[in-house]
Each structure stands twice: as C-alpha cells, then as structure tokens.
Amino acid sequence: MEPQWRPLREPAAARVWQEVLRPMSSQLRSCATQLAAEIVDWYQSEVPAIVPDAPAVSEQVTSVEDSLRQVAHCIDTGDDPRRLDMTPSTVLIARSGVQRGIPLNDLFRSVRLAHEKTWHWMFNQITTSASTSEQSAALELATDYMFAYADRILVQAEHHYETEREAWLRGTAAARAAAVDDILAGTEADPQHASKRMRYDLNRHHLGVHAWLDAPIDDPEAQTGLTAALWRLASAMSAQSPMVLPAGSMAITAWLSRSQAFTASELKRMVEEPESPVGVSVAIGEPGWGIGGFRRTHLEASHAHRLASLLGERAPAVTRYRDVAVAALASADGEHAVAFVKRVLGPLAAEDEATFRVAATLAVYLEESRSPGKAAQRLTVHPNTVSYRVHQAEQLLGRPIDANTLEISLALALLPALRGLSGHRGL
C-alpha cells in the first residue's frame, strides 16, 4: 500500500510511518472516546460559549471523537490530510454555531485546542514507544500532518459557517421584516406568534433605535460599521439579543431589549455620554414593554430620527424622542410649521447664529420657569447674560413674553428645525 501523502513516500519516512505512526493510529482509534471527553472538558473551561448546555456537550464529544477517528484512519492509510472533508458531525457543529450565535473565532479556537491536545497525545505516544533514532522523524511527520489537517478543517469550517450564516440571515431578515411590518400595521397582535416569526422575544422591555451615517461613505463595510456601533450601544445599556434590520445602505433600525426596565438615568447617560462613534448618529424612542411597546418605541425613534434630520448639524449625537416630542409632533406638517414659527417669532426666527443663540436662551429660560439662575446653570453662562438675552428676545419679538407663552414656547421648540423644514419643503 503506497501512501497518498507525499512526505510518506520517502524511504526513511515510509519506514517510520509503518513502524511508528500506523501503530500510533491504532492506539488513537482505541483512545478516541476518552481523548474526546478530555478535549471537550477543556472546551468547558476555555471556550464555554461552544458548550453552553448538556446537548451541546454531547454534540461536541461526538464531533471530536469522529474527527479523532478520521485522523487515525487517515494516518493508517497514508491519506493526504489536505484533501479530507469534515465529518458530518463536525459540519453540523459549524452550522449550528450560526443558529446558536456562537462567534466563528470561538469555533476556530476549539479546533486549535483540539489540535494542541491531540498533538500532545501523539508526542507522548511517540516518545514512549519509538526508538531514539525514529523519534525525531516521527515527531516531524506527526506535526506536519496535524498542522495540515487543522488548516484543512479551519478552511472548511469557515466555509460551512459562512454559507449557513448567509442563508440564516436571509431567512431571518425576511421573516423579521415581514413580522415587523405586520406589527407596525396592526395586523399582528399575538406576541407569542410574532416572537416566533422574528426569533425575538416580545415579552420584554424594548428600546427603539435608529442609527445612520451622517454623510455618504464610499465603503462597502459601512453597514457593518453601523451594526458594530449598535452593538456597542447595546452593551452599554446591558441589553440582550438586539434585533437589527437594515434600512438602506446608510441606516439601520433596531430594538434593544432586556428583562428589566430601562431606567431614566441610563437613558440620560445615553444622550449625555453617547457610545456612537464619530460620523454615526442615533435616535431613540421611549422604552416600552411587550408588543405594544415594541411598536410605540419604534415609531417614536422614527420621529426622533426625522427631527434629527431636520436639525442637521444642530442635532446631538443621540436624539431622544422625549426631548423633541413637541417639535416632532408640531412639525408633521412642514409648511404649516414654518409659517407658524415665522408668524410667532418674527425677527427672532432669523437664521444667523447670534439671533439663534438669543432664541435658544429664551427657550431654556421659559423651560426653567423664568429663572435666570437655573437657565444660566443649564447654559453654563452668567445669570446676567440670560437676563440680557431675554431682553434682546423681547425687543426682537416686539412685545413682552408674558402673552401667548404657549405659542412662543412651541415656536421656539420648532425653531432649530426651521432650516431643515424650509429646505425640505422648498419654502
């Protein structure tokens, strides 16, 4: 029997193969069950993500044992390890890893750990059974064989993982998009049924999120960058299993969820200490529970996104619906909103930055119940500066602010979006 693996065809190597490696392969076949159990025990301490429960442990033991027997058979017959196919049980591990959300790096690490453990086993067998003159050649052949085998398995594992991942994402994304459309349209009201369709638990607390790039980027990985930014946000909010859907090439829509309610302090910190990288903007709705909260927080995030787009460069990195709810509601009819702001504010609606600063000060002053001190604290200026700007605002308005306060406050809330409204409506 002539071996297919080229290194074994040399006369000296062929002798070592017959006298050392083939007997070792027979021993490996006998020890496969025990060695597989030891390898999977190691997985549990080093890469616990791939063995989260008893069924996963059983699957891994079967996969590793089958692979060890494949190695033993290949060495015994002298087959080329670079031409082997993964065992069916190992293919199943690679594909199920996608469905379980196991990172590819963790699967790769498990292969390297199994490679290391198996090589040490071979080292011990060779050094205890082979003559001194044969040990060096046997160890070199075993090492070359195991590296070739591991490389082949890693290439195939990546192929099966990515193939399954693409199919899974296509199917999952389509099912999720259809379910979301039905929920938003009000035609899907059963949370259990909808959860199964989306593979996302609706009986939790949800936070609707929109994330988008501030400017077009000629980068095919832009969507990946947006998703990465969303995952950073999810981590900062201690959210589990966020659901992400593409919303074009420059935006994504998502829901963060968890079993406990999102707190006011967490939402405040999200706005004041944004986790999104430069160039990525975020809009969020208010938290909600269940299928109704899922729908409402998404709609609120959509309105916050719309208003942030109108604000343009004046928008914060994270726009919270609660902070812009009045302006979002009042700007639904853009033409009407522009006319209202200009009528109520008159010269105070001018677009130059100096006038806008005066108007912004007046808005904070009214929000703080006309307290110069509290307004100054929010604006980080002196109270006298607040009083001076309020006086300037009254001069521009041509009347004191005691009358029609509600109209003035509403017009001031809309003012930052005026430029966007005017441009959008061609006014």
Side-chain angles (χ1 to χ4, degrees):
M1 178 176 61
E2 184 177 49
Q4 297 299 309
W5 192 36
R6 186 176 296 277
L8 296 181
R9 295 178 184 175
E10 297 293 331
R15 184 174 60 256
V16 170
W17 171 54
Q18 290 285 359
E19 296 179 1
V20 180
L21 297 186
R22 292 192 70 193
M24 182 193 69
S25 70
S26 178
Q27 185 67 17
L28 178 59
R29 192 178 294 110
S30 300
C31 296
T33 301
Q34 179 182 347
L35 184 56
E38 293 175 3
I39 290 172
V40 175
D41 281 344
W42 202 19
Y43 288 172
Q44 291 178 299
S45 62
E46 297 296 323
V47 277
I50 70 168
V51 281
D53 48 40
V57 170
S58 178
E59 290 175 3
Q60 286 288 349
V61 170
T62 299
S63 170
V64 174
E65 183 175 349
D66 287 349
S67 295
L68 291 173
R69 294 186 183 281
Q70 182 184 47
V71 168
H73 177 77
C74 187
I75 292 176
D76 184 48
T77 57
D79 288 342
D80 190 338
R82 297 169 302 179
R83 297 179 180 176
L84 293 177
D85 290 326
M86 291 173 65
T87 65
S89 58
T90 307
V91 172
L92 178 63
I93 292 291
R95 289 179 172 171
S96 65
V98 173
Q99 301 165 16
R100 293 185 177 188
I102 298 173
L104 183 59
N105 281 341
D106 284 349
L107 292 176
F108 276 8
R109 184 147 189 254
S110 71
V111 173
R112 291 193 293 269
L113 290 174
H115 173 202
E116 181 181 347
K117 189 78 170 179
T118 305
W119 185 89
H120 280 296
W121 183 91
M122 290 182 174
F123 178 88
N124 290 331
Q125 292 294 314
I126 292 171
T127 54
T128 57
S129 63
S131 65
T132 305
S133 61
E134 294 174 325
Q135 285 184 14
S136 178
L139 287 172
E140 183 176 354
L141 287 169
T143 300
D144 290 347
Y145 177 89
M146 287 304 298
F147 272 103
Y149 178 80
D151 180 67
R152 174 67 171 173
I153 294 303
L154 289 173
V155 169
Q156 290 203 334
E158 182 177 20
H159 168 73
H160 287 295
Y161 185 94
E162 291 300 333
T163 299
E164 182 69 17
R165 180 175 179 272
E166 290 177 8
W168 176 267
L169 290 178
R170 284 196 300 270
T172 301
R176 283 179 166 176
V180 168
D181 287 344
D182 289 344
I183 291 172
L184 298 181
T187 57
E188 174 62 89
D190 183 345
Q192 302 303 324
H193 183 244
S195 295
K196 290 180 180 179
R197 292 176 64 191
M198 296 190 296
R199 299 185 179 94
Y200 173 88
D201 189 0
L202 284 168
N203 292 317
R204 296 165 68 87
H205 296 273
H206 310 283
L207 185 69
V209 179
H210 283 244
W212 67 96
L213 298 173
D214 295 331
I217 296 178
D218 186 16
D219 182 0
E221 300 299 321
Q223 191 74 226
T224 302
L226 279 174
T227 304
L230 190 280
W231 278 94
R232 285 173 54 184
L233 182 62
S235 177
M237 295 295 289
S238 300
Q240 299 103 26
S241 303
M243 187 173 75
V244 183
L245 294 177
S249 61
M250 293 179 57
I252 58 175
T253 185
W255 288 261
L256 309 184
S257 74
R258 65 188 197 188
S259 57
Q260 70 273 28
F262 294 95
T263 66
S265 60
E266 287 176 320
L267 296 170
K268 181 180 180 182
R269 185 171 63 251
M270 182 190 293
V271 174
E272 296 179 351
E273 302 173 17
E275 290 288 329
S276 55
V278 176
V280 175
S281 293
V282 174
I284 61 173
E286 292 303 292
W289 188 90
I291 192 169
F294 176 91
R295 180 177 185 274
R296 178 178 53 77
T297 191
H298 169 75
L299 294 176
E300 290 175 346
S302 300
H303 286 302
H305 179 194
R306 175 178 61 82
L307 195 74
S309 299
L310 293 173
L311 294 175
E313 61 186 19
R314 288 173 175 165
V318 177
T319 302
R320 182 181 176 185
Y321 175 76
R322 179 178 178 178
D323 297 333
V324 297
V326 172
L329 180 63
S331 61
D333 184 333
E335 184 175 356
H336 194 183
V338 170
F340 173 79
V341 172
K342 290 183 176 181
R343 177 181 65 79
V344 174
L345 299 183
L348 190 57
E351 292 188 0
D352 63 279
E353 288 302 317
T355 304
F356 181 79
R357 184 167 56 248
V358 169
T361 300
L362 177 59
V364 174
Y365 174 76
L366 293 175
E367 289 172 8
E368 295 296 342
S369 303
R370 306 190 185 199
S371 168
K374 291 181 179 179
Q377 188 174 10
R378 275 182 57 183
L379 296 168
T380 64
V381 298
H382 194 277
N384 289 343
T385 301
V386 173
S387 298
Y388 176 71
R389 290 178 183 172
V390 170
H391 177 66
Q392 285 183 300
E394 289 183 319
Q395 288 184 316
L396 290 169
L397 286 170
R399 63 185 186 280
I401 59 173
D402 296 328
N404 300 321
T405 304
L406 178 59
E407 282 194 348
I408 293 174
S409 295
L410 180 55
L412 289 170
L414 283 167
L415 182 61
L418 187 64
R419 189 179 302 168
L421 285 166
S422 299
H424 182 67
R425 296 288 177 174
L427 299 173

